[in-house]
Amino acid sequence: MKPFLITTALAAALLALPSCKKSAKSAASASGGAELSLLNVSYDPTREFYTEVNEAFRKQWVAEKGGSLEIKQSHGGSGKQARAVIDGLEADVVTLALAGDIDVLHKELQLLPADWQAKLPQNSSPYTSTIVFVVRKGNPKAIKDWADLVKDGVQVITPNPKTSGGARWNYLAAWAWADKQFAKDEAKVLDYMTRLFKNVPVLDTGARGSTTTFAQRKIGDVFLSWENEAYLIEKEFPGETEIVYPSISILAEPPVAVVEKNTAKHGTTEVATAYLKYLYTPEAQKLAGKHFYRPRDKDIAGQFIDKLPLLPMVTIDSDFGGWAKAQKTHFDDGGTFDRIYQKK
Amino acid sequence: MSDPREVTTESRPVRIALITAAVAVLLLFLLLPLFAVFAEALRRGWEVFMASLTEEAALSAIKLTLLAAAVSVPLNTLFGLSAAWLVTRFRFKGRALLISLIDLPFAVSPVIAGLVWVMIFGSKGWLPPATLEHLLAPFATVASAAAESENFGGLFEGLAAWLKDPKFIFSTPGIIIATVFITFPFVARELIPLMEAQGADQEEAAVTLGAGGWRIFWRVTLPNIKWGLLYGVLLCNARAMGEFGAVSVVSGHIRGKTNTLPLHIEVLYNEYQFSAAFACATLLALLALVTLGLKSVLERISGHAAAGKH
């Protein structure tokens, strides 16, 4: 009796597996058009934004073309996500923190062409962001600008530029200010950067980790943060923090791209391209502003000017000679970050 | 006759201090976290709690977790039984090596246990999807033909589709493989010492009385080890549902598709949805409590069973 029962249970469990898969497949075949599915592999702070974009785009696509469309999201540190796509995570589109992380998809496996960044307007960055300071309520250490970060007794929170995209933008923004302040005297700039990182008590690996360190574990006096992440902290921890705009910052351009090799295989090139183009429409630009990304559309950016004020910003291309050069000079082994951090 | 209490020689204050310290540690390290999970989960009320458990992504994570356990537990039960039978009832060359190999998943870090599958099945691995597709092409043809058949076609449809585009990592099969690998030793590890201690006497007696292999297994071996076996299955199941590290490496974290319950909890936490994260965590905490409850019941039953025999 007993053996019979156990064998039956096992057999039932094994038989149930293929049928699970089948029912999932046939779920969406109600209307006449194609059943499409997109996977957007993105970085950490974009989840809330893309959740809304996906729903809006899906409605529009289905109304125009019929059929069904499902958009899946995956989020994580930008560099880690790029690695996963190289290892076989079949992203139809990537929306990462910096161009360097999309460049590797071409370098490693030719998943997209070398000139991917020219395929969409404005360096393939439909929205931008910048680096701001988040301080404790009332700004007790009176932190106004980059000069205040190297004062004695000020603790600065930033992730590790070796592993985090946001941290690289932080680093370059600080560098840009020092470069101007000390009239390109590299010895003085390096000295400033050394003193800045002496004030960093915790070097997390990613932006979300640093946010938790600052906002939840309450470590540090000032947090160098993505602008949109800074507003998210205000929302999640109301009344505990303030945002300070420094005298100068950096224009961060998080780029997007169709992973052409994957879309060709999935038959999704058309919908993936339409999805990324949709990010430039007024509707999506408004959603970007709502989630504290800076819309590229000037009129719509104007509507959010109270929250996202204009400030002088350097750019990676004109001030640092592009990502490839900046990466090599500052962040690769033996770059300026290694030099200033070892001095510590 | 001396008072039995005299065995404890320490003075009363010392005893009280030691007991207090032990209880404090117990409260701090075991009960406080458990309490924190439930308190945080219910902090924003019952509605938020239920909504976070019935939301689409949570349901899909629960389903995937159950599926991974449903495959790995029976497989590893079968394997654990066979392995324990083999290494405790037979002496052969390489036996020690086999025992060590069974322990391998315990010995390596879960991160490595995940990364090896990326190394093998990743796009730049030894058996990338393109190669697999090539290797499995003949089977794909057979399966497609089977899927066309009138009677059982439905059963093969999923299999045929998968064989045409075989993917392990960043999809359900990869998560199942990682889970099977991680939970490999649980049943075997539970049974080997038990069967070693019991010895083969009863089975040898059965042989002399003319019983065949299967009959000995069902009538003699299995009744002797059933409680140990159940206990192993229980632990195997708890780990299969709770595994984080290895599964995290092969998952790809696609919301509503490749997130298991532990991964879904991490995602929610990173999204500042603390209540939802802890609501899902209560499911795992309940699993732990049920496991512990069943474990103590099993121990009591098996204790009685053992006592009753003598």
Side-chain angles (χ1 to χ4, degrees):
Chain A
M1 192 63 206
K2 233 181 239 162
F4 175 73
L5 273 180
I6 296 175
T7 330
T8 319
L10 280 181
L14 287 175
L15 277 179
L17 295 180
S19 55
C20 288
K21 271 186 190 152
K22 192 188 143 220
S23 61
K25 261 194 92 178
S26 55
S29 57
S31 44
E35 292 169 33
L36 294 168
S37 172
L38 276 185
L39 174 60
N40 177 359
V41 171
S42 194
Y43 63 114
D44 258 333
T46 57
R47 347 174 115 90
E48 295 82 4
F49 167 56
Y50 275 113
T51 305
E52 280 202 51
V53 166
N54 291 350
E55 190 46 32
F57 175 72
R58 193 190 63 78
K59 273 193 192 138
Q60 187 189 315
W61 176 269
V62 173
E64 270 174 28
K65 310 263 176 172
S68 69
L69 173 64
E70 185 186 33
I71 306 172
K72 296 275 185 199
Q73 293 168 254
S74 166
H75 297 272
S78 187
K80 183 182 135 206
Q81 293 291 77
R83 178 76 241 177
V85 172
I86 291 167
D87 280 332
L89 182 58
E90 289 190 358
D92 297 287
V93 301
V94 283
T95 54
L96 296 177
L98 42 91
D101 286 333
I102 299 185
D103 280 336
V104 297
L105 303 185
H106 167 74
K107 264 185 242 151
E108 295 276 328
L109 276 179
Q110 282 81 47
L111 288 172
L112 34 70
D115 65 340
W116 63 269
Q117 203 160 11
K119 302 252 164 169
L120 288 164
Q122 283 149 325
N123 282 333
S124 289
S125 303
Y127 42 81
T128 65
S129 190
T130 190
I131 299 299
V132 301
F133 299 170
V134 184
V135 297
R136 305 283 170 206
K137 188 80 195 166
N139 199 356
K141 301 258 168 137
I143 293 155
K144 294 277 173 234
D145 203 2
W146 296 98
D148 301 320
L149 303 184
V150 296
K151 282 184 183 159
D152 283 342
V154 171
Q155 288 198 322
V156 183
I157 300 296
T158 171
N160 186 347
K162 289 272 183 187
T163 52
S164 153
R168 273 173 260 177
W169 293 111
N170 289 347
Y171 185 95
L172 294 178
W175 186 283
W177 174 83
D179 202 41
K180 225 171 198 172
Q181 187 74 11
F182 304 116
K184 297 198 182 298
D185 182 339
E186 187 159 326
K188 280 183 180 165
V189 175
L190 283 172
D191 175 60
Y192 168 80
M193 296 303 286
T194 310
R195 288 194 290 145
L196 172 61
F197 274 87
K198 264 192 188 139
N199 279 353
V200 176
V202 194
L203 213 52
D204 286 294
T205 55
R208 269 288 149 98
S210 283
T211 306
T212 320
T213 298
F214 182 80
Q216 197 155 39
R217 292 168 57 202
K218 313 247 184 283
I219 295 174
D221 302 303
V222 52
F223 171 36
L224 309 185
S225 168
W226 288 107
E227 187 178 39
N228 61 297
E229 194 81 359
Y231 281 102
L232 198 62
I233 296 174
E234 277 200 344
K235 213 170 87 190
E236 297 299 329
F237 302 88
E240 293 181 24
T241 59
E242 277 176 26
I243 296 173
V244 172
Y245 280 88
S247 64
I248 188 170
S249 192
I250 191 162
L251 178 73
E253 298 182 304
V256 301
V258 174
V259 187
E260 292 179 14
K261 217 169 174 180
N262 289 344
T263 56
K265 181 178 161 192
H266 300 159
T268 49
T269 309
E270 188 198 353
V271 62
T273 311
Y275 175 66
L276 293 188
K277 282 192 175 149
Y278 177 77
L279 295 172
Y280 293 87
T281 62
E283 278 168 288
Q285 291 283 298
K286 269 183 203 157
L287 285 178
K290 182 183 160 195
H291 291 275
F292 309 110
Y293 284 94
R294 292 175 171 243
R296 284 286 197 179
D297 185 303
K298 289 230 166 58
D299 293 338
I300 294 170
Q303 297 172 18
F304 292 94
I305 204 84
D306 294 344
K307 278 278 182 190
L308 310 171
L310 296 174
L311 75 161
M313 287 191 269
V314 296
T315 69
I316 190 83
D317 287 330
S318 56
D319 296 80
F320 292 95
W323 259 114
K325 189 165 172 241
Q327 177 73 29
K328 200 159 176 272
T329 316
H330 296 289
F331 307 117
D332 281 351
D333 287 342
T336 62
F337 177 69
D338 279 347
R339 277 188 275 155
I340 65 126
Y341 204 63
Q342 276 158 12
K343 272 191 198 163
K344 192 180 181 181
Chain B
M1 283 295 270
S2 62
D3 187 336
R5 268 175 299 177
E6 273 174 26
V7 178
T8 51
T9 49
E10 275 78 16
S11 65
R12 200 177 153 78
V14 172
R15 267 184 281 153
I16 291 177
L18 283 174
I19 291 171
T20 317
V23 170
V25 167
L26 204 70
L27 284 177
L28 191 68
F29 283 97
L30 298 174
L31 283 179
L32 186 68
L34 194 64
F35 174 77
V37 167
F38 284 93
E40 184 66 37
L42 292 167
R43 198 165 55 95
R44 286 168 58 187
W46 184 251
E47 282 80 27
V48 176
F49 178 81
M50 283 316 286
S52 5
L53 291 185
T54 49
E55 169 227 3
E56 199 185 327
L59 285 179
S60 131
I62 294 170
K63 251 188 231 161
L64 184 58
T65 304
L66 291 177
L67 176 66
V71 177
S72 52
V73 172
L75 274 183
N76 284 332
T77 306
L78 219 61
F79 161 78
L81 260 176
S82 333
W85 168 271
L86 184 69
V87 300
T88 58
R89 294 297 178 256
F90 301 93
R91 292 286 179 274
F92 51 92
K93 251 193 198 150
R95 181 174 165 271
L97 183 71
L98 183 64
I99 296 180
S100 311
L101 272 181
I102 293 171
D103 279 343
L104 186 71
F106 274 171
V108 301
S109 153
V111 159
I112 305 300
L115 281 178
V116 289
W117 300 112
V118 176
M119 289 309 296
I120 295 172
F121 294 119
S123 302
K124 302 189 90 180
W126 296 354
L127 276 176
T131 312
L132 269 180
E133 199 182 320
H134 193 68
L135 288 176
L136 294 174
F139 301 99
T141 320
V142 175
S144 304
E148 296 297 311
S149 86
E150 286 280 317
N151 297 325
F152 301 104
L155 280 176
F156 293 98
E157 215 170 76
L159 183 68
W162 185 79
L163 283 170
K164 263 185 219 151
D165 182 19
K167 265 189 294 188
F168 280 101
I169 54 167
F170 306 124
S171 67
T172 309
I175 286 166
I176 292 177
I177 289 181
T179 310
V180 169
F181 179 79
I182 283 289
T183 56
F184 205 61
F186 279 87
V187 173
R189 264 292 124 206
E190 200 56 41
L191 290 182
I192 290 171
L194 181 68
M195 291 173 72
E196 198 83 67
Q198 284 177 348
D201 299 352
Q202 295 192 9
E203 280 142 10
E204 280 161 9
V207 174
T208 60
L209 294 173
W214 279 111
R215 191 146 176 228
I216 296 176
F217 177 74
W218 291 115
R219 291 293 180 81
V220 181
T221 311
L222 197 60
N224 275 338
I225 60 166
K226 61 185 171 194
W227 301 118
L229 178 64
L230 268 177
Y231 186 37
V233 168
L234 212 61
L235 289 182
C236 181
N237 184 54
R239 182 62 186 269
M241 291 188 177
E243 172 58 21
F244 178 82
V247 168
S248 168
V249 176
V250 298
S251 146
H253 305 275
I254 306 171
R255 197 175 185 146
K257 203 169 157 198
T258 62
N259 274 340
T260 61
L261 203 47
L263 300 180
H264 184 60
I265 292 170
E266 195 209 16
V267 167
L268 290 172
Y269 184 82
N270 279 338
E271 287 175 5
Y272 304 102
Q273 302 192 39
F274 301 127
S275 296
F278 281 96
C280 292
T282 57
L283 289 184
L284 290 178
L286 283 175
L287 171 75
L289 290 178
V290 168
T291 306
L292 286 177
L294 282 176
K295 171 186 168 265
S296 56
V297 168
L298 283 179
E299 270 166 1
R300 199 168 306 157
I301 295 178
S302 62
H304 282 310
K309 247 191 250 167
H310 294 291

